[in-house]
Amino acid sequence: MLIAGMTLLCAFFGLITLLILLIWSINPVYRLFILGMITIVFLGLSILGILWIIKKPQSTLLIHTQNQLEIDKIFLEGDK
């Protein structure tokens, strides 16, 4: 789990660095406009992601886990 977190953290910093280099390479006259456009794109993507998560059907993993815990509880209480 730690490796996955470190990988995501490094990927995040890499993408932010590329974004900074992209903004830095743009002509200073258009830099503020492009920065605003990038902000709008990221905001739009985050709103779409939120809507997708809300509309997505709930995972059944938690239900199966709760059922298995109930079975285990009954099994352990029967041993007493």
Side-chain angles (χ1 to χ4, degrees):
M1 189 68 163
L2 179 64
I3 299 296
M6 292 300 293
T7 302
L8 288 174
L9 187 64
C10 289
F12 173 74
F13 282 131
L15 288 173
I16 293 300
T17 303
L18 285 175
L19 187 62
I20 289 171
L21 287 173
L22 175 75
I23 292 170
W24 194 20
S25 67
I26 295 172
N27 189 350
V29 175
Y30 303 112
R31 196 172 291 162
L32 189 60
F33 175 73
I34 297 298
L35 185 61
M37 288 293 111
I38 290 172
T39 303
I40 289 171
V41 167
F42 282 151
L43 184 62
L45 287 174
S46 66
I47 290 171
L48 286 175
I50 289 170
L51 293 176
W52 178 59
I53 289 171
I54 289 173
K55 300 267 183 193
K56 185 178 173 186
Q58 294 296 322
S59 173
T60 59
L61 180 64
L62 183 59
I63 295 169
H64 293 302
T65 303
Q66 289 174 341
N67 291 339
Q68 187 62 44
L69 285 172
E70 285 295 325
I71 293 169
D72 292 344
K73 180 180 173 186
I74 292 169
F75 179 72
L76 290 172
E77 287 176 349
D79 286 345
K80 288 183 180 178

